[in-house]
Amino acid sequence: MTSSKVPLNGSDTSLTDPVRYPVSASSPVRTKRAFVLILLTLFIPGSAQLVAGDRRLGRVALRVTLSAWAVVVVALLLLLFNRSLLISIITNQFASLLIILVLVALAVGWAVLFVNTLRLIRPVLLVPKARPAVVIALVLGLVISSGSLGYAAYLLNVGRNAIGSIFSSGPAIDPVDGRYNFLMMGGDAGDDRTGRRPDSLSVLSVDAKTGQTAIISIPRNFQNAQFTEDSPMHALYPDGYNCGDECLINAINTEVTNQHADLYPGVADPGAQATMEAVSGTLGMPIQAYVLVDMEGFSTLIDAMGGIRIKAGGWVPMSGYFDEATKTHGMPLGWIPAGEQTLNGEQALWYGRSREYVDDYARIQRQQCVQQAMLKQLDPATLLSKFEDIANAGTKVVESNISSSQLGSFVDLAMKAKGKDVKRLTLGPPDFDASFSTVPDFDQIHQRVDELLAAASGAQSAGVSDDVMAVPAAGGGRVQASGSHSPAVLRPAGSVAAQPTPSDFTPVTTTPDGEPITAGMLNQLKSEGNEEAIRQLVATNGQCRPL
């Protein structure tokens, strides 16, 4: 039998194959061969061994490579056609651990292949000036391949730990009437407090199919909150949380935590659960889950995101100490100017907290704006580039009873909600008069909530459209608010009531005389005790729009 590899003199020409046997090759061929083997290992792991080394190792590595490519293709198909399932797999505690272990194994295996490729290259056969370039190329390939897989495994583990710290392992929740309803609470749990007293309460109602969102804000000083009939607190307060001026809705969390935790056996946060039941009974809508944000750590999360961008309607003070004797604040620690701003964590915290010179309702509008800015600006690029910092900050800031098994569907809903107009309702100015939260009309609340959710679901209720909402006027009548017209609102003497934020507005940056407003001017008025002048200059600071 004859072969092209066996000449008449009996020598084996396969020994002169420059790919498998570089000894007989020229220096330029050896150099070219080295770079080709590195590229093969980088793009088709196992192929370098198949053509120039241990074919058995190459075949095993190539099978693993093809399997990994198949998994990537399936993941891309899920991303295109079933994104929520893909996210659910990645966020599942068991599945994510398995993925982490596989990524680590692949990273180690790829590194082994690069070390084996270096042996196949045999640097001693290369000309001296080519050796550094080949070694650098191999190290870069190793970093790009194994380093990337290892870093992906690390980030996935960070996310896995964050999910385990923030979210519950309880059962999944189903939408009610096609919507998911979440209670968002923001409050402090400082060393001088027993229990967390929420300073902001908002319900996010999200359409389960479209992601269309409605936000209902409840003032912290809302009185006579109604507990749902199945709430353990209903037996104590069957007629509502009505023990006087001390029974504000934001006091429920602290009272239950300190006095009635035994009514909620097995519940991780009885105070948050009771508050959720009170909000549900008050609005006449089921609240299925809560997210509680600790405001002391809120600034850390904003900083981790790289700040938030807003358009502010008026100057906001970063208030100084509060004098209990005179019931006034001292000189502000600083000011957040009107106009387009990028707020760091501390500024965003004050922007959502401050109510000096205005009322709670201006603050509520700013809080809604901060929430929307965070959702809008937490895009994939920000999330990927700052993932570790955001995840670590989240474990210190956020607590929730949302099941981690549903994160996939909820993240998918959040992506659908991006870019959609948000419907809003506040149980106070500008949607109700300023005294409404003290003596609320629950039938009216339920009607307005139904109208809001109908509008947010794309349905049309009687007398309601996207740009026209029936708004209670002072005295219980109703007026139509449309376009730039404001609803009739009562306000107590000495306060500046929040006004609705139009789709666009001009920030107030000058005095009525045209003089530019500055921090120095405002501080000078403060030092003179001219609180009323400051109040007039910052009256529009409830207006805000995320950028």
mmCIF file of all heavy atoms in Angstrom, residues 130-173:
data_model
loop_
_atom_site.group_PDB
_atom_site.id
_atom_site.type_symbol
_atom_site.label_atom_id
_atom_site.label_comp_id
_atom_site.label_asym_id
_atom_site.label_seq_id
_atom_site.Cartn_x
_atom_site.Cartn_y
_atom_site.Cartn_z
ATOM 1 N N ALA A 130 10.421 37.381 19.006
ATOM 2 C CA ALA A 130 9.015 36.995 18.881
ATOM 3 C C ALA A 130 8.437 36.481 20.198
ATOM 4 O O ALA A 130 7.217 36.478 20.376
ATOM 5 C CB ALA A 130 8.847 35.936 17.792
ATOM 6 N N ARG A 131 9.296 36.030 21.105
ATOM 7 C CA ARG A 131 8.807 35.397 22.331
ATOM 8 C C ARG A 131 7.945 36.328 23.189
ATOM 9 O O ARG A 131 6.857 35.921 23.633
ATOM 10 C CB ARG A 131 9.989 34.867 23.146
ATOM 11 C CG ARG A 131 10.709 33.717 22.470
ATOM 12 C CD ARG A 131 11.989 33.358 23.198
ATOM 13 N NE ARG A 131 12.791 32.408 22.431
ATOM 14 C CZ ARG A 131 14.031 32.053 22.744
ATOM 15 N NH1 ARG A 131 14.623 32.593 23.824
ATOM 16 N NH2 ARG A 131 14.677 31.192 22.003
ATOM 17 N N PRO A 132 8.374 37.579 23.461
ATOM 18 C CA PRO A 132 7.533 38.447 24.298
ATOM 19 C C PRO A 132 6.151 38.685 23.706
ATOM 20 O O PRO A 132 5.146 38.669 24.413
ATOM 21 C CB PRO A 132 8.341 39.749 24.380
ATOM 22 C CG PRO A 132 9.745 39.346 24.109
ATOM 23 C CD PRO A 132 9.656 38.236 23.123
ATOM 24 N N ALA A 133 6.072 38.890 22.379
ATOM 25 C CA ALA A 133 4.779 39.160 21.737
ATOM 26 C C ALA A 133 3.854 37.954 21.867
ATOM 27 O O ALA A 133 2.649 38.095 22.123
ATOM 28 C CB ALA A 133 4.986 39.523 20.273
ATOM 29 N N VAL A 134 4.425 36.752 21.685
ATOM 30 C CA VAL A 134 3.609 35.531 21.790
ATOM 31 C C VAL A 134 3.104 35.348 23.214
ATOM 32 O O VAL A 134 1.928 35.025 23.441
ATOM 33 C CB VAL A 134 4.429 34.306 21.332
ATOM 34 C CG1 VAL A 134 3.698 33.011 21.687
ATOM 35 C CG2 VAL A 134 4.696 34.374 19.838
ATOM 36 N N VAL A 135 3.984 35.543 24.183
ATOM 37 C CA VAL A 135 3.585 35.376 25.587
ATOM 38 C C VAL A 135 2.515 36.411 25.959
ATOM 39 O O VAL A 135 1.526 36.081 26.632
ATOM 40 C CB VAL A 135 4.807 35.492 26.517
ATOM 41 C CG1 VAL A 135 4.350 35.531 27.982
ATOM 42 C CG2 VAL A 135 5.748 34.325 26.277
ATOM 43 N N ILE A 136 2.698 37.649 25.540
ATOM 44 C CA ILE A 136 1.701 38.695 25.837
ATOM 45 C C ILE A 136 0.351 38.343 25.213
ATOM 46 O O ILE A 136 -0.706 38.479 25.841
ATOM 47 C CB ILE A 136 2.194 40.063 25.333
ATOM 48 C CG1 ILE A 136 3.376 40.543 26.178
ATOM 49 C CG2 ILE A 136 1.065 41.090 25.380
ATOM 50 C CD1 ILE A 136 4.034 41.804 25.647
ATOM 51 N N ALA A 137 0.381 37.873 23.948
ATOM 52 C CA ALA A 137 -0.859 37.489 23.278
ATOM 53 C C ALA A 137 -1.558 36.355 24.012
ATOM 54 O O ALA A 137 -2.796 36.352 24.180
ATOM 55 C CB ALA A 137 -0.579 37.086 21.835
ATOM 56 N N LEU A 138 -0.779 35.387 24.481
ATOM 57 C CA LEU A 138 -1.370 34.264 25.215
ATOM 58 C C LEU A 138 -1.974 34.715 26.538
ATOM 59 O O LEU A 138 -3.071 34.284 26.913
ATOM 60 C CB LEU A 138 -0.311 33.176 25.440
ATOM 61 C CG LEU A 138 -0.846 31.861 26.006
ATOM 62 C CD1 LEU A 138 -0.189 30.668 25.316
ATOM 63 C CD2 LEU A 138 -0.608 31.754 27.519
ATOM 64 N N VAL A 139 -1.268 35.596 27.251
ATOM 65 C CA VAL A 139 -1.787 36.090 28.534
ATOM 66 C C VAL A 139 -3.073 36.890 28.312
ATOM 67 O O VAL A 139 -4.038 36.759 29.073
ATOM 68 C CB VAL A 139 -0.730 36.953 29.257
ATOM 69 C CG1 VAL A 139 -1.345 37.659 30.465
ATOM 70 C CG2 VAL A 139 0.440 36.079 29.694
ATOM 71 N N LEU A 140 -3.089 37.721 27.258
ATOM 72 C CA LEU A 140 -4.308 38.474 26.947
ATOM 73 C C LEU A 140 -5.474 37.538 26.642
ATOM 74 O O LEU A 140 -6.609 37.755 27.091
ATOM 75 C CB LEU A 140 -4.067 39.409 25.757
ATOM 76 C CG LEU A 140 -3.224 40.652 26.033
ATOM 77 C CD1 LEU A 140 -2.974 41.424 24.735
ATOM 78 C CD2 LEU A 140 -3.923 41.561 27.044
ATOM 79 N N GLY A 141 -5.188 36.490 25.856
ATOM 80 C CA GLY A 141 -6.222 35.509 25.560
ATOM 81 C C GLY A 141 -6.733 34.828 26.808
ATOM 82 O O GLY A 141 -7.941 34.586 26.969
ATOM 83 N N LEU A 142 -5.834 34.533 27.733
ATOM 84 C CA LEU A 142 -6.205 33.900 29.000
ATOM 85 C C LEU A 142 -7.087 34.825 29.832
ATOM 86 O O LEU A 142 -8.095 34.395 30.419
ATOM 87 C CB LEU A 142 -4.934 33.536 29.773
ATOM 88 C CG LEU A 142 -5.129 32.821 31.118
ATOM 89 C CD1 LEU A 142 -5.833 31.491 30.922
ATOM 90 C CD2 LEU A 142 -3.776 32.608 31.801
ATOM 91 N N VAL A 143 -6.730 36.108 29.876
ATOM 92 C CA VAL A 143 -7.523 37.075 30.643
ATOM 93 C C VAL A 143 -8.904 37.259 30.028
ATOM 94 O O VAL A 143 -9.918 37.269 30.728
ATOM 95 C CB VAL A 143 -6.782 38.428 30.723
ATOM 96 C CG1 VAL A 143 -7.692 39.496 31.316
ATOM 97 C CG2 VAL A 143 -5.516 38.292 31.554
ATOM 98 N N ILE A 144 -8.929 37.387 28.691
ATOM 99 C CA ILE A 144 -10.210 37.592 28.003
ATOM 100 C C ILE A 144 -11.138 36.402 28.211
ATOM 101 O O ILE A 144 -12.346 36.570 28.429
ATOM 102 C CB ILE A 144 -9.981 37.845 26.503
ATOM 103 C CG1 ILE A 144 -9.287 39.190 26.294
ATOM 104 C CG2 ILE A 144 -11.298 37.805 25.732
ATOM 105 C CD1 ILE A 144 -8.834 39.434 24.865
ATOM 106 N N SER A 145 -10.593 35.207 28.168
ATOM 107 C CA SER A 145 -11.417 33.993 28.236
ATOM 108 C C SER A 145 -11.706 33.588 29.673
ATOM 109 O O SER A 145 -12.811 33.808 30.183
ATOM 110 C CB SER A 145 -10.721 32.861 27.486
ATOM 111 O OG SER A 145 -9.407 32.653 28.021
ATOM 112 N N SER A 146 -10.720 33.034 30.340
ATOM 113 C CA SER A 146 -10.915 32.559 31.707
ATOM 114 C C SER A 146 -11.231 33.701 32.660
ATOM 115 O O SER A 146 -12.069 33.564 33.567
ATOM 116 C CB SER A 146 -9.660 31.823 32.190
ATOM 117 O OG SER A 146 -9.470 30.634 31.463
ATOM 118 N N GLY A 147 -10.574 34.855 32.445
ATOM 119 C CA GLY A 147 -10.834 35.997 33.322
ATOM 120 C C GLY A 147 -12.269 36.469 33.222
ATOM 121 O O GLY A 147 -12.916 36.754 34.243
ATOM 122 N N SER A 148 -12.801 36.535 32.001
ATOM 123 C CA SER A 148 -14.182 36.977 31.822
ATOM 124 C C SER A 148 -15.163 35.997 32.450
ATOM 125 O O SER A 148 -16.132 36.404 33.112
ATOM 126 C CB SER A 148 -14.494 37.133 30.331
ATOM 127 O OG SER A 148 -13.686 38.136 29.757
ATOM 128 N N LEU A 149 -14.941 34.706 32.260
ATOM 129 C CA LEU A 149 -15.822 33.709 32.869
ATOM 130 C C LEU A 149 -15.758 33.759 34.393
ATOM 131 O O LEU A 149 -16.782 33.661 35.075
ATOM 132 C CB LEU A 149 -15.456 32.304 32.378
ATOM 133 C CG LEU A 149 -15.791 31.971 30.920
ATOM 134 C CD1 LEU A 149 -15.338 30.554 30.589
ATOM 135 C CD2 LEU A 149 -17.285 32.114 30.674
ATOM 136 N N GLY A 150 -14.546 33.923 34.910
ATOM 137 C CA GLY A 150 -14.406 34.012 36.367
ATOM 138 C C GLY A 150 -15.091 35.240 36.931
ATOM 139 O O GLY A 150 -15.749 35.169 37.983
ATOM 140 N N TYR A 151 -14.965 36.369 36.227
ATOM 141 C CA TYR A 151 -15.611 37.596 36.700
ATOM 142 C C TYR A 151 -17.123 37.481 36.593
ATOM 143 O O TYR A 151 -17.860 37.954 37.471
ATOM 144 C CB TYR A 151 -15.113 38.792 35.885
ATOM 145 C CG TYR A 151 -15.569 40.125 36.433
ATOM 146 C CD1 TYR A 151 -15.208 40.533 37.719
ATOM 147 C CD2 TYR A 151 -16.363 40.979 35.673
ATOM 148 C CE1 TYR A 151 -15.626 41.749 38.224
ATOM 149 C CE2 TYR A 151 -16.777 42.205 36.169
ATOM 150 C CZ TYR A 151 -16.409 42.576 37.449
ATOM 151 O OH TYR A 151 -16.832 43.790 37.962
ATOM 152 N N ALA A 152 -17.612 36.838 35.535
ATOM 153 C CA ALA A 152 -19.054 36.621 35.402
ATOM 154 C C ALA A 152 -19.573 35.760 36.555
ATOM 155 O O ALA A 152 -20.647 36.026 37.117
ATOM 156 C CB ALA A 152 -19.364 35.962 34.066
ATOM 157 N N ALA A 153 -18.806 34.739 36.921
ATOM 158 C CA ALA A 153 -19.203 33.890 38.049
ATOM 159 C C ALA A 153 -19.221 34.691 39.346
ATOM 160 O O ALA A 153 -20.120 34.525 40.188
ATOM 161 C CB ALA A 153 -18.241 32.709 38.170
ATOM 162 N N TYR A 154 -18.245 35.584 39.503
ATOM 163 C CA TYR A 154 -18.189 36.425 40.708
ATOM 164 C C TYR A 154 -19.393 37.359 40.790
ATOM 165 O O TYR A 154 -20.039 37.464 41.840
ATOM 166 C CB TYR A 154 -16.886 37.229 40.695
ATOM 167 C CG TYR A 154 -16.824 38.290 41.766
ATOM 168 C CD1 TYR A 154 -16.630 37.952 43.101
ATOM 169 C CD2 TYR A 154 -16.971 39.641 41.440
ATOM 170 C CE1 TYR A 154 -16.579 38.923 44.086
ATOM 171 C CE2 TYR A 154 -16.926 40.613 42.416
ATOM 172 C CZ TYR A 154 -16.728 40.252 43.740
ATOM 173 O OH TYR A 154 -16.691 41.222 44.714
ATOM 174 N N LEU A 155 -19.715 38.032 39.674
ATOM 175 C CA LEU A 155 -20.858 38.936 39.672
ATOM 176 C C LEU A 155 -22.164 38.184 39.909
ATOM 177 O O LEU A 155 -23.052 38.669 40.621
ATOM 178 C CB LEU A 155 -20.929 39.700 38.355
ATOM 179 C CG LEU A 155 -19.846 40.748 38.104
ATOM 180 C CD1 LEU A 155 -20.089 41.445 36.771
ATOM 181 C CD2 LEU A 155 -19.794 41.773 39.226
ATOM 182 N N LEU A 156 -22.281 37.010 39.311
ATOM 183 C CA LEU A 156 -23.489 36.213 39.517
ATOM 184 C C LEU A 156 -23.612 35.804 40.974
ATOM 185 O O LEU A 156 -24.718 35.778 41.535
ATOM 186 C CB LEU A 156 -23.454 34.987 38.605
ATOM 187 C CG LEU A 156 -24.735 34.136 38.549
ATOM 188 C CD1 LEU A 156 -25.926 35.001 38.133
ATOM 189 C CD2 LEU A 156 -24.558 32.973 37.579
ATOM 190 N N ASN A 157 -22.505 35.517 41.609
ATOM 191 C CA ASN A 157 -22.539 35.164 43.032
ATOM 192 C C ASN A 157 -22.915 36.380 43.889
ATOM 193 O O ASN A 157 -23.664 36.243 44.871
ATOM 194 C CB ASN A 157 -21.179 34.620 43.472
ATOM 195 C CG ASN A 157 -21.205 34.059 44.871
ATOM 196 O OD1 ASN A 157 -21.996 33.175 45.187
ATOM 197 N ND2 ASN A 157 -20.350 34.589 45.737
ATOM 198 N N VAL A 158 -22.411 37.565 43.500
ATOM 199 C CA VAL A 158 -22.801 38.787 44.210
ATOM 200 C C VAL A 158 -24.309 39.002 44.105
ATOM 201 O O VAL A 158 -24.995 39.279 45.088
ATOM 202 C CB VAL A 158 -22.048 40.016 43.641
ATOM 203 C CG1 VAL A 158 -22.630 41.313 44.198
ATOM 204 C CG2 VAL A 158 -20.569 39.932 43.973
ATOM 205 N N GLY A 159 -24.835 38.854 42.890
ATOM 206 C CA GLY A 159 -26.276 39.001 42.694
ATOM 207 C C GLY A 159 -27.063 37.947 43.436
ATOM 208 O O GLY A 159 -28.120 38.233 44.011
ATOM 209 N N ARG A 160 -26.555 36.738 43.449
ATOM 210 C CA ARG A 160 -27.237 35.642 44.158
ATOM 211 C C ARG A 160 -27.327 35.933 45.654
ATOM 212 O O ARG A 160 -28.368 35.736 46.283
ATOM 213 C CB ARG A 160 -26.482 34.336 43.901
ATOM 214 C CG ARG A 160 -27.092 33.115 44.565
ATOM 215 C CD ARG A 160 -26.324 31.849 44.159
ATOM 216 N NE ARG A 160 -26.924 30.689 44.761
ATOM 217 C CZ ARG A 160 -26.618 30.240 45.976
ATOM 218 N NH1 ARG A 160 -25.696 30.872 46.698
ATOM 219 N NH2 ARG A 160 -27.211 29.168 46.463
ATOM 220 N N ASN A 161 -26.231 36.405 46.228
ATOM 221 C CA ASN A 161 -26.235 36.744 47.655
ATOM 222 C C ASN A 161 -27.175 37.910 47.944
ATOM 223 O O ASN A 161 -27.871 37.920 48.966
ATOM 224 C CB ASN A 161 -24.817 37.081 48.120
ATOM 225 C CG ASN A 161 -23.904 35.872 48.109
ATOM 226 O OD1 ASN A 161 -24.371 34.726 48.206
ATOM 227 N ND2 ASN A 161 -22.606 36.097 47.996
ATOM 228 N N ALA A 162 -27.181 38.914 47.035
ATOM 229 C CA ALA A 162 -28.072 40.061 47.231
ATOM 230 C C ALA A 162 -29.532 39.634 47.177
ATOM 231 O O ALA A 162 -30.356 40.058 48.003
ATOM 232 C CB ALA A 162 -27.792 41.127 46.178
ATOM 233 N N ILE A 163 -29.873 38.795 46.224
ATOM 234 C CA ILE A 163 -31.246 38.308 46.101
ATOM 235 C C ILE A 163 -31.653 37.546 47.348
ATOM 236 O O ILE A 163 -32.759 37.717 47.874
ATOM 237 C CB ILE A 163 -31.387 37.431 44.843
ATOM 238 C CG1 ILE A 163 -31.285 38.296 43.591
ATOM 239 C CG2 ILE A 163 -32.704 36.658 44.850
ATOM 240 C CD1 ILE A 163 -31.166 37.500 42.309
ATOM 241 N N GLY A 164 -30.738 36.711 47.854
ATOM 242 C CA GLY A 164 -31.041 35.954 49.070
ATOM 243 C C GLY A 164 -31.228 36.841 50.283
ATOM 244 O O GLY A 164 -32.014 36.528 51.179
ATOM 245 N N SER A 165 -30.521 37.993 50.308
ATOM 246 C CA SER A 165 -30.621 38.909 51.453
ATOM 247 C C SER A 165 -31.871 39.779 51.382
ATOM 248 O O SER A 165 -32.450 40.112 52.418
ATOM 249 C CB SER A 165 -29.383 39.817 51.511
ATOM 250 O OG SER A 165 -28.209 39.061 51.682
ATOM 251 N N ILE A 166 -32.286 40.159 50.179
ATOM 252 C CA ILE A 166 -33.368 41.129 50.018
ATOM 253 C C ILE A 166 -34.730 40.462 49.917
ATOM 254 O O ILE A 166 -35.689 40.874 50.573
ATOM 255 C CB ILE A 166 -33.116 42.000 48.775
ATOM 256 C CG1 ILE A 166 -31.847 42.834 48.949
ATOM 257 C CG2 ILE A 166 -34.313 42.909 48.500
ATOM 258 C CD1 ILE A 166 -31.416 43.571 47.699
ATOM 259 N N PHE A 167 -34.817 39.408 49.104
ATOM 260 C CA PHE A 167 -36.133 38.854 48.771
ATOM 261 C C PHE A 167 -36.408 37.585 49.564
ATOM 262 O O PHE A 167 -35.504 36.928 50.083
ATOM 263 C CB PHE A 167 -36.223 38.585 47.275
ATOM 264 C CG PHE A 167 -36.074 39.823 46.440
ATOM 265 C CD1 PHE A 167 -34.859 40.144 45.861
ATOM 266 C CD2 PHE A 167 -37.130 40.691 46.268
ATOM 267 C CE1 PHE A 167 -34.700 41.281 45.098
ATOM 268 C CE2 PHE A 167 -36.995 41.842 45.509
ATOM 269 C CZ PHE A 167 -35.777 42.136 44.932
ATOM 270 N N SER A 168 -37.680 37.242 49.637
ATOM 271 C CA SER A 168 -38.100 36.097 50.432
ATOM 272 C C SER A 168 -38.062 34.824 49.594
ATOM 273 O O SER A 168 -37.907 34.857 48.374
ATOM 274 C CB SER A 168 -39.522 36.316 50.964
ATOM 275 O OG SER A 168 -40.476 36.111 49.931
ATOM 276 N N SER A 169 -38.233 33.713 50.267
ATOM 277 C CA SER A 169 -38.305 32.422 49.578
ATOM 278 C C SER A 169 -39.725 31.884 49.621
ATOM 279 O O SER A 169 -39.954 30.696 49.459
ATOM 280 C CB SER A 169 -37.344 31.428 50.244
ATOM 281 O OG SER A 169 -37.654 31.290 51.628
ATOM 282 N N GLY A 170 -40.683 32.766 49.862
ATOM 283 C CA GLY A 170 -42.077 32.361 49.987
ATOM 284 C C GLY A 170 -42.718 32.068 48.646
ATOM 285 O O GLY A 170 -42.074 32.088 47.597
ATOM 286 N N PRO A 171 -44.020 31.799 48.676
ATOM 287 C CA PRO A 171 -44.732 31.453 47.439
ATOM 288 C C PRO A 171 -44.883 32.652 46.513
ATOM 289 O O PRO A 171 -44.859 33.805 46.945
ATOM 290 C CB PRO A 171 -46.102 30.981 47.950
ATOM 291 C CG PRO A 171 -46.278 31.677 49.268
ATOM 292 C CD PRO A 171 -44.911 31.773 49.856
ATOM 293 N N ALA A 172 -45.044 32.359 45.246
ATOM 294 C CA ALA A 172 -45.261 33.408 44.244
ATOM 295 C C ALA A 172 -46.656 34.001 44.408
ATOM 296 O O ALA A 172 -47.549 33.390 44.997
ATOM 297 C CB ALA A 172 -45.092 32.830 42.839
ATOM 298 N N ILE A 173 -46.824 35.223 43.922
ATOM 299 C CA ILE A 173 -48.122 35.890 43.990
ATOM 300 C C ILE A 173 -48.711 35.984 42.591
ATOM 301 O O ILE A 173 -47.989 36.025 41.598
ATOM 302 C CB ILE A 173 -48.003 37.296 44.611
ATOM 303 C CG1 ILE A 173 -47.043 38.173 43.783
ATOM 304 C CG2 ILE A 173 -47.559 37.216 46.052
ATOM 305 C CD1 ILE A 173 -46.935 39.598 44.289
#
